[in-house]
PDB file of all heavy atoms in Angstrom:
ATOM      1  N   THR A  22     -32.500   6.598  16.458  1.00 91.00           N
ATOM      2  CA  THR A  22     -32.797   5.575  15.463  1.00 91.00           C
ATOM      3  C   THR A  22     -31.606   5.355  14.532  1.00 91.00           C
ATOM      4  O   THR A  22     -30.998   6.311  14.065  1.00 91.00           O
ATOM      5  CB  THR A  22     -34.014   6.018  14.628  1.00 91.00           C
ATOM      6  OG1 THR A  22     -35.075   6.246  15.530  1.00 91.00           O
ATOM      7  CG2 THR A  22     -34.427   4.951  13.638  1.00 91.00           C
ATOM      8  N   VAL A  23     -31.309   4.098  14.314  1.00 95.00           N
ATOM      9  CA  VAL A  23     -30.244   3.755  13.369  1.00 95.00           C
ATOM     10  C   VAL A  23     -30.890   3.080  12.169  1.00 95.00           C
ATOM     11  O   VAL A  23     -31.739   2.211  12.325  1.00 95.00           O
ATOM     12  CB  VAL A  23     -29.214   2.804  14.032  1.00 95.00           C
ATOM     13  CG1 VAL A  23     -28.253   2.257  13.003  1.00 95.00           C
ATOM     14  CG2 VAL A  23     -28.455   3.527  15.139  1.00 95.00           C
ATOM     15  N   ASP A  24     -30.484   3.492  10.987  1.00 96.00           N
ATOM     16  CA  ASP A  24     -31.031   2.899   9.768  1.00 96.00           C
ATOM     17  C   ASP A  24     -30.074   1.796   9.289  1.00 96.00           C
ATOM     18  O   ASP A  24     -29.027   2.072   8.702  1.00 96.00           O
ATOM     19  CB  ASP A  24     -31.181   4.001   8.714  1.00 96.00           C
ATOM     20  CG  ASP A  24     -31.783   3.455   7.430  1.00 96.00           C
ATOM     21  OD1 ASP A  24     -31.979   2.224   7.339  1.00 96.00           O
ATOM     22  OD2 ASP A  24     -32.049   4.263   6.524  1.00 96.00           O
ATOM     23  N   PHE A  25     -30.465   0.554   9.544  1.00 96.00           N
ATOM     24  CA  PHE A  25     -29.578  -0.565   9.209  1.00 96.00           C
ATOM     25  C   PHE A  25     -29.527  -0.864   7.712  1.00 96.00           C
ATOM     26  O   PHE A  25     -28.711  -1.658   7.276  1.00 96.00           O
ATOM     27  CB  PHE A  25     -29.963  -1.817  10.011  1.00 96.00           C
ATOM     28  CG  PHE A  25     -29.595  -1.690  11.462  1.00 96.00           C
ATOM     29  CD1 PHE A  25     -30.544  -1.340  12.412  1.00 96.00           C
ATOM     30  CD2 PHE A  25     -28.289  -1.897  11.877  1.00 96.00           C
ATOM     31  CE1 PHE A  25     -30.193  -1.191  13.742  1.00 96.00           C
ATOM     32  CE2 PHE A  25     -27.927  -1.747  13.203  1.00 96.00           C
ATOM     33  CZ  PHE A  25     -28.886  -1.390  14.147  1.00 96.00           C
ATOM     34  N   ASP A  26     -30.428  -0.235   6.968  1.00 96.00           N
ATOM     35  CA  ASP A  26     -30.373  -0.421   5.510  1.00 96.00           C
ATOM     36  C   ASP A  26     -29.330   0.499   4.868  1.00 96.00           C
ATOM     37  O   ASP A  26     -28.995   0.335   3.703  1.00 96.00           O
ATOM     38  CB  ASP A  26     -31.740  -0.125   4.870  1.00 96.00           C
ATOM     39  CG  ASP A  26     -32.779  -1.127   5.346  1.00 96.00           C
ATOM     40  OD1 ASP A  26     -32.388  -2.262   5.666  1.00 96.00           O
ATOM     41  OD2 ASP A  26     -33.969  -0.766   5.415  1.00 96.00           O
ATOM     42  N   HIS A  27     -28.867   1.485   5.630  1.00 96.00           N
ATOM     43  CA  HIS A  27     -27.885   2.416   5.078  1.00 96.00           C
ATOM     44  C   HIS A  27     -26.701   2.565   6.020  1.00 96.00           C
ATOM     45  O   HIS A  27     -26.357   3.683   6.432  1.00 96.00           O
ATOM     46  CB  HIS A  27     -28.532   3.775   4.788  1.00 96.00           C
ATOM     47  CG  HIS A  27     -29.607   3.687   3.754  1.00 96.00           C
ATOM     48  ND1 HIS A  27     -30.936   3.546   4.085  1.00 96.00           N
ATOM     49  CD2 HIS A  27     -29.539   3.653   2.402  1.00 96.00           C
ATOM     50  CE1 HIS A  27     -31.651   3.451   2.962  1.00 96.00           C
ATOM     51  NE2 HIS A  27     -30.826   3.510   1.934  1.00 96.00           N
ATOM     52  N   LEU A  28     -26.108   1.450   6.350  1.00 98.00           N
ATOM     53  CA  LEU A  28     -24.922   1.500   7.219  1.00 98.00           C
ATOM     54  C   LEU A  28     -23.747   2.038   6.414  1.00 98.00           C
ATOM     55  O   LEU A  28     -23.700   1.863   5.197  1.00 98.00           O
ATOM     56  CB  LEU A  28     -24.569   0.077   7.679  1.00 98.00           C
ATOM     57  CG  LEU A  28     -25.493  -0.587   8.682  1.00 98.00           C
ATOM     58  CD1 LEU A  28     -24.996  -2.000   8.963  1.00 98.00           C
ATOM     59  CD2 LEU A  28     -25.584   0.214   9.970  1.00 98.00           C
ATOM     60  N   PRO A  29     -22.789   2.664   7.090  1.00 98.00           N
ATOM     61  CA  PRO A  29     -21.560   2.975   6.345  1.00 98.00           C
ATOM     62  C   PRO A  29     -20.975   1.656   5.845  1.00 98.00           C
ATOM     63  O   PRO A  29     -21.137   0.620   6.491  1.00 98.00           O
ATOM     64  CB  PRO A  29     -20.659   3.623   7.398  1.00 98.00           C
ATOM     65  CG  PRO A  29     -21.300   3.369   8.723  1.00 98.00           C
ATOM     66  CD  PRO A  29     -22.726   3.050   8.487  1.00 98.00           C
ATOM     67  N   GLN A  30     -20.329   1.705   4.713  1.00 98.00           N
ATOM     68  CA  GLN A  30     -19.768   0.461   4.180  1.00 98.00           C
ATOM     69  C   GLN A  30     -18.528   0.042   4.980  1.00 98.00           C
ATOM     70  O   GLN A  30     -18.278  -1.123   5.213  1.00 98.00           O
ATOM     71  CB  GLN A  30     -19.396   0.679   2.705  1.00 98.00           C
ATOM     72  CG  GLN A  30     -19.042  -0.599   1.991  1.00 98.00           C
ATOM     73  CD  GLN A  30     -18.621  -0.371   0.548  1.00 98.00           C
ATOM     74  OE1 GLN A  30     -18.299   0.747   0.136  1.00 98.00           O
ATOM     75  NE2 GLN A  30     -18.633  -1.417  -0.233  1.00 98.00           N
ATOM     76  N   HIS A  31     -17.780   1.051   5.399  1.00 98.00           N
ATOM     77  CA  HIS A  31     -16.495   0.766   6.064  1.00 98.00           C
ATOM     78  C   HIS A  31     -16.330   1.667   7.289  1.00 98.00           C
ATOM     79  O   HIS A  31     -16.326   2.883   7.170  1.00 98.00           O
ATOM     80  CB  HIS A  31     -15.367   1.022   5.044  1.00 98.00           C
ATOM     81  CG  HIS A  31     -14.002   0.721   5.564  1.00 98.00           C
ATOM     82  ND1 HIS A  31     -12.881   0.842   4.786  1.00 98.00           N
ATOM     83  CD2 HIS A  31     -13.545   0.296   6.776  1.00 98.00           C
ATOM     84  CE1 HIS A  31     -11.805   0.508   5.486  1.00 98.00           C
ATOM     85  NE2 HIS A  31     -12.189   0.179   6.704  1.00 98.00           N
ATOM     86  N   ILE A  32     -16.202   1.044   8.436  1.00 99.00           N
ATOM     87  CA  ILE A  32     -15.935   1.783   9.681  1.00 99.00           C
ATOM     88  C   ILE A  32     -14.519   1.441  10.143  1.00 99.00           C
ATOM     89  O   ILE A  32     -14.118   0.274  10.126  1.00 99.00           O
ATOM     90  CB  ILE A  32     -16.948   1.412  10.787  1.00 99.00           C
ATOM     91  CG1 ILE A  32     -18.365   1.828  10.375  1.00 99.00           C
ATOM     92  CG2 ILE A  32     -16.562   2.060  12.117  1.00 99.00           C
ATOM     93  CD1 ILE A  32     -19.439   1.498  11.416  1.00 99.00           C
ATOM     94  N   ALA A  33     -13.775   2.459  10.521  1.00 99.00           N
ATOM     95  CA  ALA A  33     -12.422   2.238  11.042  1.00 99.00           C
ATOM     96  C   ALA A  33     -12.360   2.774  12.470  1.00 99.00           C
ATOM     97  O   ALA A  33     -12.933   3.830  12.760  1.00 99.00           O
ATOM     98  CB  ALA A  33     -11.409   2.934  10.155  1.00 99.00           C
TER      99      ALA A  33
END
Side-chain angles (χ1 to χ4, degrees):
T22 303
V23 170
D24 182 355
F25 288 99
D26 296 331
H27 297 95
L28 289 178
Q30 190 182 16
H31 182 178
I32 296 180

